[in-house]
mmCIF file with all atom_site columns, all heavy atoms in Angstrom:
data_model
loop_
_atom_site.group_PDB
_atom_site.id
_atom_site.type_symbol
_atom_site.label_atom_id
_atom_site.label_alt_id
_atom_site.label_comp_id
_atom_site.label_asym_id
_atom_site.label_entity_id
_atom_site.label_seq_id
_atom_site.pdbx_PDB_ins_code
_atom_site.Cartn_x
_atom_site.Cartn_y
_atom_site.Cartn_z
_atom_site.occupancy
_atom_site.B_iso_or_equiv
_atom_site.pdbx_formal_charge
_atom_site.auth_seq_id
_atom_site.auth_comp_id
_atom_site.auth_asym_id
_atom_site.auth_atom_id
_atom_site.pdbx_PDB_model_num
ATOM 1   N N   . ALA G 1 1  ? 98.078 131.546 -86.562  1.00 94.00 ? 1  ALA G N   1
ATOM 2   C CA  . ALA G 1 1  ? 98.391 131.029 -85.226  1.00 94.00 ? 1  ALA G CA  1
ATOM 3   C C   . ALA G 1 1  ? 97.292 131.371 -84.226  1.00 94.00 ? 1  ALA G C   1
ATOM 4   O O   . ALA G 1 1  ? 96.854 130.518 -83.443  1.00 94.00 ? 1  ALA G O   1
ATOM 5   C CB  . ALA G 1 1  ? 99.729 131.585 -84.762  1.00 94.00 ? 1  ALA G CB  1
ATOM 6   N N   . LEU G 1 2  ? 96.827 132.610 -84.256  1.00 94.00 ? 2  LEU G N   1
ATOM 7   C CA  . LEU G 1 2  ? 95.779 133.016 -83.320  1.00 94.00 ? 2  LEU G CA  1
ATOM 8   C C   . LEU G 1 2  ? 94.461 132.292 -83.593  1.00 94.00 ? 2  LEU G C   1
ATOM 9   O O   . LEU G 1 2  ? 93.788 131.845 -82.655  1.00 94.00 ? 2  LEU G O   1
ATOM 10  C CB  . LEU G 1 2  ? 95.566 134.527 -83.390  1.00 94.00 ? 2  LEU G CB  1
ATOM 11  C CG  . LEU G 1 2  ? 96.671 135.382 -82.773  1.00 94.00 ? 2  LEU G CG  1
ATOM 12  C CD1 . LEU G 1 2  ? 96.388 136.854 -83.009  1.00 94.00 ? 2  LEU G CD1 1
ATOM 13  C CD2 . LEU G 1 2  ? 96.820 135.086 -81.300  1.00 94.00 ? 2  LEU G CD2 1
ATOM 14  N N   . SER G 1 3  ? 94.113 132.159 -84.848  1.00 94.00 ? 3  SER G N   1
ATOM 15  C CA  . SER G 1 3  ? 92.870 131.467 -85.185  1.00 94.00 ? 3  SER G CA  1
ATOM 16  C C   . SER G 1 3  ? 92.937 129.987 -84.825  1.00 94.00 ? 3  SER G C   1
ATOM 17  O O   . SER G 1 3  ? 91.963 129.416 -84.337  1.00 94.00 ? 3  SER G O   1
ATOM 18  C CB  . SER G 1 3  ? 92.555 131.625 -86.670  1.00 94.00 ? 3  SER G CB  1
ATOM 19  O OG  . SER G 1 3  ? 92.307 132.969 -86.975  1.00 94.00 ? 3  SER G OG  1
ATOM 20  N N   . GLY G 1 4  ? 94.085 129.377 -85.073  1.00 91.00 ? 4  GLY G N   1
ATOM 21  C CA  . GLY G 1 4  ? 94.253 127.985 -84.697  1.00 91.00 ? 4  GLY G CA  1
ATOM 22  C C   . GLY G 1 4  ? 94.158 127.792 -83.196  1.00 91.00 ? 4  GLY G C   1
ATOM 23  O O   . GLY G 1 4  ? 93.519 126.852 -82.712  1.00 91.00 ? 4  GLY G O   1
ATOM 24  N N   . ALA G 1 5  ? 94.765 128.698 -82.448  1.00 94.00 ? 5  ALA G N   1
ATOM 25  C CA  . ALA G 1 5  ? 94.699 128.620 -80.992  1.00 94.00 ? 5  ALA G CA  1
ATOM 26  C C   . ALA G 1 5  ? 93.263 128.824 -80.503  1.00 94.00 ? 5  ALA G C   1
ATOM 27  O O   . ALA G 1 5  ? 92.800 128.108 -79.601  1.00 94.00 ? 5  ALA G O   1
ATOM 28  C CB  . ALA G 1 5  ? 95.626 129.656 -80.370  1.00 94.00 ? 5  ALA G CB  1
ATOM 29  N N   . LEU G 1 6  ? 92.563 129.771 -81.095  1.00 94.00 ? 6  LEU G N   1
ATOM 30  C CA  . LEU G 1 6  ? 91.173 130.005 -80.697  1.00 94.00 ? 6  LEU G CA  1
ATOM 31  C C   . LEU G 1 6  ? 90.291 128.805 -81.025  1.00 94.00 ? 6  LEU G C   1
ATOM 32  O O   . LEU G 1 6  ? 89.380 128.476 -80.258  1.00 94.00 ? 6  LEU G O   1
ATOM 33  C CB  . LEU G 1 6  ? 90.626 131.261 -81.368  1.00 94.00 ? 6  LEU G CB  1
ATOM 34  C CG  . LEU G 1 6  ? 91.109 132.577 -80.769  1.00 94.00 ? 6  LEU G CG  1
ATOM 35  C CD1 . LEU G 1 6  ? 90.658 133.746 -81.637  1.00 94.00 ? 6  LEU G CD1 1
ATOM 36  C CD2 . LEU G 1 6  ? 90.594 132.736 -79.355  1.00 94.00 ? 6  LEU G CD2 1
ATOM 37  N N   . TYR G 1 7  ? 90.574 128.141 -82.151  1.00 94.00 ? 7  TYR G N   1
ATOM 38  C CA  . TYR G 1 7  ? 89.792 126.949 -82.486  1.00 94.00 ? 7  TYR G CA  1
ATOM 39  C C   . TYR G 1 7  ? 90.022 125.850 -81.445  1.00 94.00 ? 7  TYR G C   1
ATOM 40  O O   . TYR G 1 7  ? 89.068 125.211 -81.002  1.00 94.00 ? 7  TYR G O   1
ATOM 41  C CB  . TYR G 1 7  ? 90.145 126.440 -83.881  1.00 94.00 ? 7  TYR G CB  1
ATOM 42  C CG  . TYR G 1 7  ? 89.550 125.090 -84.161  1.00 94.00 ? 7  TYR G CG  1
ATOM 43  C CD1 . TYR G 1 7  ? 88.183 124.948 -84.360  1.00 94.00 ? 7  TYR G CD1 1
ATOM 44  C CD2 . TYR G 1 7  ? 90.338 123.947 -84.191  1.00 94.00 ? 7  TYR G CD2 1
ATOM 45  C CE1 . TYR G 1 7  ? 87.622 123.705 -84.600  1.00 94.00 ? 7  TYR G CE1 1
ATOM 46  C CE2 . TYR G 1 7  ? 89.786 122.714 -84.427  1.00 94.00 ? 7  TYR G CE2 1
ATOM 47  C CZ  . TYR G 1 7  ? 88.422 122.595 -84.631  1.00 94.00 ? 7  TYR G CZ  1
ATOM 48  O OH  . TYR G 1 7  ? 87.876 121.364 -84.855  1.00 94.00 ? 7  TYR G OH  1
ATOM 49  N N   . PHE G 1 8  ? 91.271 125.653 -81.082  1.00 93.00 ? 8  PHE G N   1
ATOM 50  C CA  . PHE G 1 8  ? 91.560 124.590 -80.108  1.00 93.00 ? 8  PHE G CA  1
ATOM 51  C C   . PHE G 1 8  ? 91.001 124.922 -78.726  1.00 93.00 ? 8  PHE G C   1
ATOM 52  O O   . PHE G 1 8  ? 90.641 124.030 -77.968  1.00 93.00 ? 8  PHE G O   1
ATOM 53  C CB  . PHE G 1 8  ? 93.052 124.316 -80.030  1.00 93.00 ? 8  PHE G CB  1
ATOM 54  C CG  . PHE G 1 8  ? 93.564 123.558 -81.216  1.00 93.00 ? 8  PHE G CG  1
ATOM 55  C CD1 . PHE G 1 8  ? 94.550 124.088 -82.026  1.00 93.00 ? 8  PHE G CD1 1
ATOM 56  C CD2 . PHE G 1 8  ? 93.049 122.318 -81.553  1.00 93.00 ? 8  PHE G CD2 1
ATOM 57  C CE1 . PHE G 1 8  ? 95.017 123.397 -83.130  1.00 93.00 ? 8  PHE G CE1 1
ATOM 58  C CE2 . PHE G 1 8  ? 93.503 121.611 -82.651  1.00 93.00 ? 8  PHE G CE2 1
ATOM 59  C CZ  . PHE G 1 8  ? 94.496 122.159 -83.436  1.00 93.00 ? 8  PHE G CZ  1
ATOM 60  N N   . LEU G 1 9  ? 90.938 126.207 -78.392  1.00 95.00 ? 9  LEU G N   1
ATOM 61  C CA  . LEU G 1 9  ? 90.408 126.592 -77.091  1.00 95.00 ? 9  LEU G CA  1
ATOM 62  C C   . LEU G 1 9  ? 88.882 126.552 -77.033  1.00 95.00 ? 9  LEU G C   1
ATOM 63  O O   . LEU G 1 9  ? 88.301 126.167 -76.022  1.00 95.00 ? 9  LEU G O   1
ATOM 64  C CB  . LEU G 1 9  ? 90.899 127.989 -76.706  1.00 95.00 ? 9  LEU G CB  1
ATOM 65  C CG  . LEU G 1 9  ? 92.387 128.105 -76.385  1.00 95.00 ? 9  LEU G CG  1
ATOM 66  C CD1 . LEU G 1 9  ? 92.759 129.558 -76.167  1.00 95.00 ? 9  LEU G CD1 1
ATOM 67  C CD2 . LEU G 1 9  ? 92.735 127.265 -75.176  1.00 95.00 ? 9  LEU G CD2 1
ATOM 68  N N   . THR G 1 10 ? 88.228 126.977 -78.126  1.00 94.00 ? 10 THR G N   1
ATOM 69  C CA  . THR G 1 10 ? 86.768 127.085 -78.108  1.00 94.00 ? 10 THR G CA  1
ATOM 70  C C   . THR G 1 10 ? 86.068 125.971 -78.865  1.00 94.00 ? 10 THR G C   1
ATOM 71  O O   . THR G 1 10 ? 84.936 125.626 -78.535  1.00 94.00 ? 10 THR G O   1
ATOM 72  C CB  . THR G 1 10 ? 86.314 128.436 -78.706  1.00 94.00 ? 10 THR G CB  1
ATOM 73  O OG1 . THR G 1 10 ? 86.712 128.492 -80.072  1.00 94.00 ? 10 THR G OG1 1
ATOM 74  C CG2 . THR G 1 10 ? 86.908 129.590 -77.932  1.00 94.00 ? 10 THR G CG2 1
ATOM 75  N N   . GLY G 1 11 ? 86.690 125.448 -79.906  1.00 90.00 ? 11 GLY G N   1
ATOM 76  C CA  . GLY G 1 11 ? 86.064 124.398 -80.706  1.00 90.00 ? 11 GLY G CA  1
ATOM 77  C C   . GLY G 1 11 ? 85.077 124.912 -81.728  1.00 90.00 ? 11 GLY G C   1
ATOM 78  O O   . GLY G 1 11 ? 84.349 124.126 -82.339  1.00 90.00 ? 11 GLY G O   1
ATOM 79  N N   . GLU G 1 12 ? 85.050 126.220 -81.966  1.00 92.00 ? 12 GLU G N   1
ATOM 80  C CA  . GLU G 1 12 ? 84.112 126.795 -82.945  1.00 92.00 ? 12 GLU G CA  1
ATOM 81  C C   . GLU G 1 12 ? 84.679 126.665 -84.357  1.00 92.00 ? 12 GLU G C   1
ATOM 82  O O   . GLU G 1 12 ? 85.850 126.925 -84.610  1.00 92.00 ? 12 GLU G O   1
ATOM 83  C CB  . GLU G 1 12 ? 83.855 128.265 -82.628  1.00 92.00 ? 12 GLU G CB  1
ATOM 84  C CG  . GLU G 1 12 ? 83.078 128.461 -81.353  1.00 92.00 ? 12 GLU G CG  1
ATOM 85  C CD  . GLU G 1 12 ? 82.687 129.904 -81.133  1.00 92.00 ? 12 GLU G CD  1
ATOM 86  O OE1 . GLU G 1 12 ? 82.446 130.596 -82.138  1.00 92.00 ? 12 GLU G OE1 1
ATOM 87  O OE2 . GLU G 1 12 ? 82.638 130.318 -79.977  1.00 92.00 ? 12 GLU G OE2 1
ATOM 88  N N   . LYS G 1 13 ? 83.810 126.277 -85.280  1.00 93.00 ? 13 LYS G N   1
ATOM 89  C CA  . LYS G 1 13 ? 84.228 126.019 -86.662  1.00 93.00 ? 13 LYS G CA  1
ATOM 90  C C   . LYS G 1 13 ? 84.550 127.295 -87.429  1.00 93.00 ? 13 LYS G C   1
ATOM 91  O O   . LYS G 1 13 ? 85.270 127.254 -88.422  1.00 93.00 ? 13 LYS G O   1
ATOM 92  C CB  . LYS G 1 13 ? 83.133 125.257 -87.418  1.00 93.00 ? 13 LYS G CB  1
ATOM 93  C CG  . LYS G 1 13 ? 82.874 123.886 -86.864  1.00 93.00 ? 13 LYS G CG  1
ATOM 94  C CD  . LYS G 1 13 ? 83.966 122.944 -87.231  1.00 93.00 ? 13 LYS G CD  1
ATOM 95  C CE  . LYS G 1 13 ? 83.614 121.549 -86.776  1.00 93.00 ? 13 LYS G CE  1
ATOM 96  N NZ  . LYS G 1 13 ? 84.669 120.611 -87.025  1.00 93.00 ? 13 LYS G NZ  1
ATOM 97  N N   . ARG G 1 14 ? 84.059 128.438 -86.975  1.00 93.00 ? 14 ARG G N   1
ATOM 98  C CA  . ARG G 1 14 ? 84.290 129.672 -87.730  1.00 93.00 ? 14 ARG G CA  1
ATOM 99  C C   . ARG G 1 14 ? 85.764 130.048 -87.758  1.00 93.00 ? 14 ARG G C   1
ATOM 100 O O   . ARG G 1 14 ? 86.235 130.675 -88.702  1.00 93.00 ? 14 ARG G O   1
ATOM 101 C CB  . ARG G 1 14 ? 83.451 130.819 -87.189  1.00 93.00 ? 14 ARG G CB  1
ATOM 102 C CG  . ARG G 1 14 ? 83.806 131.247 -85.802  1.00 93.00 ? 14 ARG G CG  1
ATOM 103 C CD  . ARG G 1 14 ? 82.922 132.372 -85.337  1.00 93.00 ? 14 ARG G CD  1
ATOM 104 N NE  . ARG G 1 14 ? 83.176 132.635 -83.933  1.00 93.00 ? 14 ARG G NE  1
ATOM 105 C CZ  . ARG G 1 14 ? 82.970 133.786 -83.376  1.00 93.00 ? 14 ARG G CZ  1
ATOM 106 N NH1 . ARG G 1 14 ? 82.480 134.768 -84.081  1.00 93.00 ? 14 ARG G NH1 1
ATOM 107 N NH2 . ARG G 1 14 ? 83.228 133.958 -82.101  1.00 93.00 ? 14 ARG G NH2 1
ATOM 108 N N   . TYR G 1 15 ? 86.507 129.631 -86.745  1.00 92.00 ? 15 TYR G N   1
ATOM 109 C CA  . TYR G 1 15 ? 87.939 129.914 -86.743  1.00 92.00 ? 15 TYR G CA  1
ATOM 110 C C   . TYR G 1 15 ? 88.662 129.081 -87.797  1.00 92.00 ? 15 TYR G C   1
ATOM 111 O O   . TYR G 1 15 ? 89.608 129.555 -88.428  1.00 92.00 ? 15 TYR G O   1
ATOM 112 C CB  . TYR G 1 15 ? 88.525 129.677 -85.356  1.00 92.00 ? 15 TYR G CB  1
ATOM 113 C CG  . TYR G 1 15 ? 87.971 130.617 -84.318  1.00 92.00 ? 15 TYR G CG  1
ATOM 114 C CD1 . TYR G 1 15 ? 87.259 130.137 -83.226  1.00 92.00 ? 15 TYR G CD1 1
ATOM 115 C CD2 . TYR G 1 15 ? 88.130 131.988 -84.436  1.00 92.00 ? 15 TYR G CD2 1
ATOM 116 C CE1 . TYR G 1 15 ? 86.735 130.997 -82.278  1.00 92.00 ? 15 TYR G CE1 1
ATOM 117 C CE2 . TYR G 1 15 ? 87.610 132.857 -83.491  1.00 92.00 ? 15 TYR G CE2 1
ATOM 118 C CZ  . TYR G 1 15 ? 86.913 132.356 -82.421  1.00 92.00 ? 15 TYR G CZ  1
ATOM 119 O OH  . TYR G 1 15 ? 86.392 133.209 -81.499  1.00 92.00 ? 15 TYR G OH  1
ATOM 120 N N   . LEU G 1 16 ? 88.215 127.854 -87.994  1.00 91.00 ? 16 LEU G N   1
ATOM 121 C CA  . LEU G 1 16 ? 88.798 127.035 -89.062  1.00 91.00 ? 16 LEU G CA  1
ATOM 122 C C   . LEU G 1 16 ? 88.470 127.607 -90.435  1.00 91.00 ? 16 LEU G C   1
ATOM 123 O O   . LEU G 1 16 ? 89.294 127.568 -91.349  1.00 91.00 ? 16 LEU G O   1
ATOM 124 C CB  . LEU G 1 16 ? 88.288 125.605 -88.981  1.00 91.00 ? 16 LEU G CB  1
ATOM 125 C CG  . LEU G 1 16 ? 88.925 124.702 -87.927  1.00 91.00 ? 16 LEU G CG  1
ATOM 126 C CD1 . LEU G 1 16 ? 88.331 123.308 -88.009  1.00 91.00 ? 16 LEU G CD1 1
ATOM 127 C CD2 . LEU G 1 16 ? 90.416 124.655 -88.084  1.00 91.00 ? 16 LEU G CD2 1
ATOM 128 N N   . GLN G 1 17 ? 87.264 128.146 -90.588  1.00 93.00 ? 17 GLN G N   1
ATOM 129 C CA  . GLN G 1 17 ? 86.894 128.773 -91.856  1.00 93.00 ? 17 GLN G CA  1
ATOM 130 C C   . GLN G 1 17 ? 87.774 129.990 -92.127  1.00 93.00 ? 17 GLN G C   1
ATOM 131 O O   . GLN G 1 17 ? 88.200 130.223 -93.258  1.00 93.00 ? 17 GLN G O   1
ATOM 132 C CB  . GLN G 1 17 ? 85.424 129.173 -91.835  1.00 93.00 ? 17 GLN G CB  1
ATOM 133 C CG  . GLN G 1 17 ? 84.480 128.000 -91.824  1.00 93.00 ? 17 GLN G CG  1
ATOM 134 C CD  . GLN G 1 17 ? 83.038 128.411 -91.602  1.00 93.00 ? 17 GLN G CD  1
ATOM 135 O OE1 . GLN G 1 17 ? 82.750 129.562 -91.287  1.00 93.00 ? 17 GLN G OE1 1
ATOM 136 N NE2 . GLN G 1 17 ? 82.124 127.464 -91.755  1.00 93.00 ? 17 GLN G NE2 1
ATOM 137 N N   . PHE G 1 18 ? 88.074 130.751 -91.082  1.00 93.00 ? 18 PHE G N   1
ATOM 138 C CA  . PHE G 1 18 ? 88.947 131.908 -91.241  1.00 93.00 ? 18 PHE G CA  1
ATOM 139 C C   . PHE G 1 18 ? 90.357 131.480 -91.622  1.00 93.00 ? 18 PHE G C   1
ATOM 140 O O   . PHE G 1 18 ? 90.993 132.090 -92.485  1.00 93.00 ? 18 PHE G O   1
ATOM 141 C CB  . PHE G 1 18 ? 88.971 132.740 -89.952  1.00 93.00 ? 18 PHE G CB  1
ATOM 142 C CG  . PHE G 1 18 ? 89.825 133.964 -90.059  1.00 93.00 ? 18 PHE G CG  1
ATOM 143 C CD1 . PHE G 1 18 ? 89.425 135.043 -90.826  1.00 93.00 ? 18 PHE G CD1 1
ATOM 144 C CD2 . PHE G 1 18 ? 91.043 134.027 -89.401  1.00 93.00 ? 18 PHE G CD2 1
ATOM 145 C CE1 . PHE G 1 18 ? 90.221 136.164 -90.936  1.00 93.00 ? 18 PHE G CE1 1
ATOM 146 C CE2 . PHE G 1 18 ? 91.845 135.143 -89.500  1.00 93.00 ? 18 PHE G CE2 1
ATOM 147 C CZ  . PHE G 1 18 ? 91.428 136.219 -90.268  1.00 93.00 ? 18 PHE G CZ  1
ATOM 148 N N   . VAL G 1 19 ? 90.853 130.402 -90.995  1.00 92.00 ? 19 VAL G N   1
ATOM 149 C CA  . VAL G 1 19 ? 92.176 129.877 -91.337  1.00 92.00 ? 19 VAL G CA  1
ATOM 150 C C   . VAL G 1 19 ? 92.212 129.472 -92.802  1.00 92.00 ? 19 VAL G C   1
ATOM 151 O O   . VAL G 1 19 ? 93.169 129.775 -93.520  1.00 92.00 ? 19 VAL G O   1
ATOM 152 C CB  . VAL G 1 19 ? 92.537 128.679 -90.422  1.00 92.00 ? 19 VAL G CB  1
ATOM 153 C CG1 . VAL G 1 19 ? 93.739 127.931 -90.953  1.00 92.00 ? 19 VAL G CG1 1
ATOM 154 C CG2 . VAL G 1 19 ? 92.795 129.144 -89.007  1.00 92.00 ? 19 VAL G CG2 1
ATOM 155 N N   . TRP G 1 20 ? 91.174 128.809 -93.265  1.00 93.00 ? 20 TRP G N   1
ATOM 156 C CA  . TRP G 1 20 ? 91.110 128.373 -94.660  1.00 93.00 ? 20 TRP G CA  1
ATOM 157 C C   . TRP G 1 20 ? 91.121 129.572 -95.604  1.00 93.00 ? 20 TRP G C   1
ATOM 158 O O   . TRP G 1 20 ? 91.815 129.570 -96.623  1.00 93.00 ? 20 TRP G O   1
ATOM 159 C CB  . TRP G 1 20 ? 89.876 127.512 -94.878  1.00 93.00 ? 20 TRP G CB  1
ATOM 160 C CG  . TRP G 1 20 ? 89.742 127.003 -96.267  1.00 93.00 ? 20 TRP G CG  1
ATOM 161 C CD1 . TRP G 1 20 ? 88.747 127.289 -97.140  1.00 93.00 ? 20 TRP G CD1 1
ATOM 162 C CD2 . TRP G 1 20 ? 90.634 126.127 -96.959  1.00 93.00 ? 20 TRP G CD2 1
ATOM 163 N NE1 . TRP G 1 20 ? 88.963 126.647 -98.329  1.00 93.00 ? 20 TRP G NE1 1
ATOM 164 C CE2 . TRP G 1 20 ? 90.118 125.933 -98.246  1.00 93.00 ? 20 TRP G CE2 1
ATOM 165 C CE3 . TRP G 1 20 ? 91.816 125.502 -96.617  1.00 93.00 ? 20 TRP G CE3 1
ATOM 166 C CZ2 . TRP G 1 20 ? 90.758 125.129 -99.187  1.00 93.00 ? 20 TRP G CZ2 1
ATOM 167 C CZ3 . TRP G 1 20 ? 92.446 124.709 -97.562  1.00 93.00 ? 20 TRP G CZ3 1
ATOM 168 C CH2 . TRP G 1 20 ? 91.917 124.525 -98.822  1.00 93.00 ? 20 TRP G CH2 1
ATOM 169 N N   . LYS G 1 21 ? 90.373 130.615 -95.271  1.00 93.00 ? 21 LYS G N   1
ATOM 170 C CA  . LYS G 1 21 ? 90.339 131.810 -96.121  1.00 93.00 ? 21 LYS G CA  1
ATOM 171 C C   . LYS G 1 21 ? 91.698 132.500 -96.163  1.00 93.00 ? 21 LYS G C   1
ATOM 172 O O   . LYS G 1 21 ? 92.149 132.931 -97.231  1.00 93.00 ? 21 LYS G O   1
ATOM 173 C CB  . LYS G 1 21 ? 89.285 132.789 -95.611  1.00 93.00 ? 21 LYS G CB  1
ATOM 174 C CG  . LYS G 1 21 ? 87.882 132.349 -95.877  1.00 93.00 ? 21 LYS G CG  1
ATOM 175 C CD  . LYS G 1 21 ? 86.883 133.349 -95.324  1.00 93.00 ? 21 LYS G CD  1
ATOM 176 C CE  . LYS G 1 21 ? 85.466 132.835 -95.461  1.00 93.00 ? 21 LYS G CE  1
ATOM 177 N NZ  . LYS G 1 21 ? 84.483 133.757 -94.899  1.00 93.00 ? 21 LYS G NZ  1
ATOM 178 N N   . VAL G 1 22 ? 92.364 132.588 -95.031  1.00 91.00 ? 22 VAL G N   1
ATOM 179 C CA  . VAL G 1 22 ? 93.686 133.220 -94.994  1.00 91.00 ? 22 VAL G CA  1
ATOM 180 C C   . VAL G 1 22 ? 94.689 132.398 -95.795  1.00 91.00 ? 22 VAL G C   1
ATOM 181 O O   . VAL G 1 22 ? 95.514 132.950 -96.525  1.00 91.00 ? 22 VAL G O   1
ATOM 182 C CB  . VAL G 1 22 ? 94.154 133.417 -93.533  1.00 91.00 ? 22 VAL G CB  1
ATOM 183 C CG1 . VAL G 1 22 ? 95.613 133.846 -93.477  1.00 91.00 ? 22 VAL G CG1 1
ATOM 184 C CG2 . VAL G 1 22 ? 93.285 134.436 -92.826  1.00 91.00 ? 22 VAL G CG2 1
ATOM 185 N N   . LEU G 1 23 ? 94.624 131.074 -95.684  1.00 91.00 ? 23 LEU G N   1
ATOM 186 C CA  . LEU G 1 23 ? 95.527 130.223 -96.455  1.00 91.00 ? 23 LEU G CA  1
ATOM 187 C C   . LEU G 1 23 ? 95.299 130.374 -97.956  1.00 91.00 ? 23 LEU G C   1
ATOM 188 O O   . LEU G 1 23 ? 96.258 130.457 -98.730  1.00 91.00 ? 23 LEU G O   1
ATOM 189 C CB  . LEU G 1 23 ? 95.359 128.759 -96.046  1.00 91.00 ? 23 LEU G CB  1
ATOM 190 C CG  . LEU G 1 23 ? 96.046 128.336 -94.762  1.00 91.00 ? 23 LEU G CG  1
ATOM 191 C CD1 . LEU G 1 23 ? 95.679 126.903 -94.416  1.00 91.00 ? 23 LEU G CD1 1
ATOM 192 C CD2 . LEU G 1 23 ? 97.543 128.482 -94.881  1.00 91.00 ? 23 LEU G CD2 1
ATOM 193 N N   . LYS G 1 24 ? 94.029 130.411 -98.373  1.00 93.00 ? 24 LYS G N   1
ATOM 194 C CA  . LYS G 1 24 ? 93.733 130.579 -99.801  1.00 93.00 ? 24 LYS G CA  1
ATOM 195 C C   . LYS G 1 24 ? 94.256 131.924 -100.292 1.00 93.00 ? 24 LYS G C   1
ATOM 196 O O   . LYS G 1 24 ? 94.876 132.000 -101.357 1.00 93.00 ? 24 LYS G O   1
ATOM 197 C CB  . LYS G 1 24 ? 92.232 130.482 -100.058 1.00 93.00 ? 24 LYS G CB  1
ATOM 198 C CG  . LYS G 1 24 ? 91.704 129.077 -100.001 1.00 93.00 ? 24 LYS G CG  1
ATOM 199 C CD  . LYS G 1 24 ? 90.311 128.946 -100.581 1.00 93.00 ? 24 LYS G CD  1
ATOM 200 C CE  . LYS G 1 24 ? 89.317 129.845 -99.891  1.00 93.00 ? 24 LYS G CE  1
ATOM 201 N NZ  . LYS G 1 24 ? 87.933 129.607 -100.310 1.00 93.00 ? 24 LYS G NZ  1
#
């Protein structure tokens, strides 16, 4: 949730990469 919110607020791709790693 926090990483998704940070991605939507900042638009940085590293947060999406972190979300993907946590999901895996």
Side-chain angles (χ1 to χ4, degrees):
L2 288 175
S3 295
L6 284 172
Y7 170 71
F8 285 121
L9 291 174
T10 63
E12 292 187 33
K13 296 286 185 184
R14 66 181 172 154
Y15 296 118
L16 282 182
Q17 292 172 351
F18 181 72
V19 167
W20 181 243
K21 287 179 186 178
V22 170
L23 281 174
K24 285 194 302 188

